[in-house]
Amino acid sequence: MRGKHKRFVAAKEIKRPLPPLTIPTDVQSFEDYFARLQILQNRVDTHIYFDTSFLVWLTGVSGDGRAELRSWLHAIGRNRIHIPVWAAHEYLRHHVTGLISNQLREVAGNLHNAANDSYAVLRPYLDTPIRGEHRSLAEIQTSVRKTLIDVKRLAGFASKWSNENYQAHVNDIFKMINDYGVQSASVFDNLHDIEVLEKSRYTGRIPPGFKDQKKKEKDGVGSNSFGDLEFWREILRHSKDIRAKSVIILSNDRKNDWLMGAQPAPMVDREDEVISAKRNWNPIPRAHPMLSFEARASAGVEELVLTDTVYLATYFKKSGIPCQSFFNAAVDVELPEPPEFDKSVRKAIKATAVAGQIEARGKDHEVRTETLFKDGPNVLIAPLKLNLAFTTSGKLDHPQGKAFVGAVLEDNTEARGITDFLQQELFKLADTGTLVWVARALVSRSQAGDSLAVAHCSDLLGMMDELPLGTATCLYLGFLAGAYFDGDDLRAPPSAPIFQDLLALQHRPFAAQPIAVITGKFRKLHKKPLYLPDAAMPGLAVTVQLKDVSGSRSSIVGLQINGLGVLDAAQSDEELTLSHLLDGQASATVRSIAETAGQMLGFPVAQILNTAELDREVEFGPTIGLIAPSETVLLIDE
């Protein structure tokens, strides 16, 4: 009788109507997708599963970012969050084989080699001017060198990350696996027929996993070509056992054996600050129709939704879920084009200025936990010492300073970098006055066109945060002195190949006392430049005066930066005319003119406040140009 009953039940199961295979025809929008995630999140019969790719990505995220994710998971409920056994097994395997460490090591090597190789190829071309470039050749050389050294510094960061952070991050993922691991042995039940099933399904391109069909064994280690299929079968078995009606899979796998292919990229509303934070969007994740069909047919799951780190982070942000660290790690992964980056920097400065709270940036770096060496016993940075060092730095006779500069320039026939000389006894024994003199002398040589001096100045400026505070303070004072003063008088206008990079460090701790010394000298001279060094790095407002020409065309007749006029309508020096400075053009954007003026007259270009007016195209006549150098020195009223 019991056998007949079993046959009867089996017969009923066979006769149960299957759901139809439905292929979506609508185009998903951000709003529809995020609204659906919101609804499913709040349903008690929705269960969330982690893929290995999501766990691997999560390993690199900061502790704050992972805490934000776990806070969301905790709010949903521990019994609705699951990490399948197969996902945990694959993650452990990646840990054992050093997937992340090897990836970082490869990236570090590529960055380091790319920086070296790029500089070797580019350097011969950096001695010839190009059209439309208002920077001097020395400034271009400095910028290129600094940029590529920063790339090498980034390579070093990537190399160190594994040693200092990896194990703690992995342990956090292991804790998640232990907390949310699926309690099921189905993974072993599924293995007995997986190869047969894999072959039959992949031949018919039935998802998931057919994209992994060509995976090969490496060094005797299995190819894991059936990994996605095993992961999927475990989800189906588990979701059926717990009677889940909806399933969300967190995965960074974008292959079309998981996602429905041929989907268009979503329409991006650039007025939406959250959506516009990312420039390029992949199509909104939509489960492959065969996966949705199988989930409904074999597990009773009515809705299957896939989401990746980018879309989940954006959903968090749009929904008001605390997620700043998680969002930044997921979405801030595209480098903008230089003009867009410059615009965003100025926009940020403006926002801070409007709030009246411009603060010293880079606070995370203000604590010097590790420096290349310690300050020498004679490096003292009391105000009296620094003022005296400034005074003597303008003198020609300084035996110890001249010896060091001679070693790094005249005697340096192999063009070795400045770091090779920092450990020498000559540098270690230098006092406050010597360091200030050396930095000022290097700036002077760079202004005269000495390419090796340009390189040394750029390299020293780039490693300021790695130098001890006293040494960095002295060198920064010397750099400022060389840029702003010619002997004992103001340089008109202030300039140096490293000038813009120098002003970018005004907010750093080592800059405060040098700025006080330099601005004090202005007062004694009763003169000042158009821009005074300022640790607050105030935003610089640009005001433009225009004259209508015809229709929508306008001609520029005046320009103020921070309230100071920088244009001369009848400039007789052809080299100062806008036409000459802008490569023979008869029109340009206000932004281009303002930035050219900033570069030429000593304003920090990065501090120019961004406004819509800056992107306006304006015309200019052949005689309008920048003010004469003599007009870049202002008298200080008593």
Side-chain angles (χ1 to χ4, degrees), residues 361-400:
R361 285 164 285 262
K363 289 183 178 178
D364 292 343
H365 303 288
E366 290 187 7
V367 178
R368 292 164 174 260
T369 56
E370 183 179 350
T371 57
L372 295 175
F373 50 84
K374 293 183 178 181
D375 281 323
N378 299 317
V379 177
L380 304 174
I381 54 174
L384 186 59
K385 272 283 186 184
L386 292 173
N387 275 282
L388 180 61
F390 169 86
T391 301
T392 58
S393 67
K395 310 302 180 185
L396 295 177
D397 187 29
H398 196 299
Q400 190 176 359

Side-chain angles (χ1 to χ4, degrees), residues 134-354:
H134 54 264
R135 293 176 298 173
S136 69
L137 291 176
E139 287 173 323
I140 295 172
Q141 293 162 13
T142 299
S143 177
V144 170
R145 190 177 181 88
K146 179 180 180 297
T147 298
L148 295 178
I149 287 175
D150 282 344
V151 171
K152 293 175 72 171
R153 189 172 285 116
L154 177 60
F157 173 87
S159 298
K160 292 177 182 177
W161 193 94
S162 291
N163 294 332
E164 297 183 11
N165 300 307
Y166 175 71
Q167 193 57 53
H169 286 226
V170 166
N171 288 343
D172 205 13
I173 303 299
F174 285 164
K175 187 177 186 305
M176 287 185 63
I177 290 173
N178 295 338
D179 288 344
Y180 302 125
V182 168
Q183 296 178 340
S184 170
S186 64
V187 65
F188 299 106
D189 298 335
N190 293 335
L191 285 174
H192 74 278
D193 64 345
I194 190 68
E195 291 187 354
V196 175
L197 189 62
E198 174 193 14
K199 184 175 181 180
S200 59
R201 287 177 67 114
Y202 289 5
T203 299
R205 296 181 68 81
I206 298 176
F210 60 76
K211 282 285 187 177
D212 296 331
Q213 186 175 10
K214 296 182 179 180
K215 279 188 175 181
K216 304 294 184 182
E217 289 189 7
K218 292 183 179 179
D219 301 324
V221 179
S223 66
N224 191 30
S225 61
F226 58 77
D228 283 3
L229 179 56
E230 183 67 22
F231 170 73
W232 174 239
R233 294 181 75 193
E234 188 179 354
I235 290 177
L236 291 179
R237 177 75 70 87
H238 184 263
S239 59
K240 181 178 181 180
D241 290 344
I242 61 176
R243 299 183 180 180
K245 293 301 181 184
S246 302
V247 164
I248 298 175
I249 298 179
L250 307 181
S251 173
N252 275 351
D253 194 331
R254 297 286 313 186
K255 298 193 297 292
N256 65 9
D257 57 350
W258 277 103
L259 302 179
M260 180 176 172
Q263 294 293 291
M267 295 294 294
V268 176
D269 180 4
R270 292 300 173 189
E271 298 300 317
D272 187 320
E273 291 188 6
V274 177
I275 299 298
S276 63
K278 183 174 171 59
R279 292 167 57 238
N280 299 308
W281 286 87
N282 285 319
I284 295 173
R286 172 168 258 164
H288 193 296
M290 284 294 287
L291 291 177
S292 298
F293 174 74
E294 186 175 12
R296 191 178 183 94
S298 63
V301 172
E302 296 173 357
E303 187 162 6
L304 174 66
V305 173
L306 274 63
T307 194
D308 59 20
T309 52
V310 171
Y311 276 93
L312 183 64
T314 308
Y315 164 66
F316 285 169
K317 196 78 167 176
K318 295 280 286 182
S319 303
I321 297 170
C323 64
Q324 194 58 54
S325 294
F326 186 88
F327 179 83
N328 289 343
V331 177
D332 183 23
V333 293
E334 298 171 312
L335 288 176
E337 295 304 313
E340 295 178 16
F341 175 73
D342 296 339
K343 183 177 180 180
S344 67
V345 169
R346 283 189 291 271
K347 185 176 180 181
I349 293 175
K350 180 182 179 181
T352 312
V354 169

